[in-house]
Amino acid sequence: LKAALDIFRESINKMVDHSCDNITETKIRELRKANKISQAELADEMGVTRQTIILLEKGRYNASLELAFKIARYFGKTIEEVFIFEED
């Protein structure tokens, strides 16, 4: 069981530590601050953890399409206005 947990933790850490090469920045923090919303409040509204919001704001987590739409709609923006992608 311990070996399985170690493997699971290692795979999770690799996913979290890997920054998405295509995301250069997000406007989530800026939008959240402008609307006086805490990370916890936004997380609750989106149905995710505060850690997810933290990682999104740092550009260290690649949001699912569904989550990207939810965040953009929440702030009355398009996905492109919230998530800035670098084209290859």
Side-chain angles (χ1 to χ4, degrees):
L1 181 61
K2 183 182 180 319
L5 284 173
D6 289 341
I7 291 169
F8 176 73
R9 283 187 188 114
E10 183 178 321
S11 65
I12 293 297
N13 286 337
K14 284 180 184 176
M15 288 189 309
V16 169
D17 289 339
H18 177 71
S19 3
C20 180
D21 294 334
N22 291 342
I23 297 178
T24 57
E25 68 177 290
T26 72
K27 301 287 184 183
I28 296 170
R29 183 169 196 239
E30 177 183 319
L31 291 165
R32 184 177 57 73
K33 294 256 183 202
N35 287 278
K36 297 181 170 114
I37 299 167
S38 72
Q39 290 171 330
E41 290 170 324
L42 181 58
D44 287 344
E45 289 290 328
M46 297 299 112
V48 299
T49 65
R50 188 173 73 81
Q51 184 67 21
T52 299
I53 300 301
I54 291 167
L55 293 173
L56 283 167
E57 289 182 354
K58 291 181 177 182
R60 296 187 65 208
Y61 179 76
N62 191 13
S64 67
L65 186 57
E66 179 183 359
L67 181 56
F69 269 115
K70 284 173 76 174
I71 291 170
R73 285 186 183 155
Y74 181 82
F75 291 113
K77 304 286 183 188
T78 65
I79 289 176
E80 293 85 0
E81 291 173 311
V82 179
F83 297 90
I84 314 305
F85 292 94
E86 181 180 284
E87 299 207 21
D88 294 334

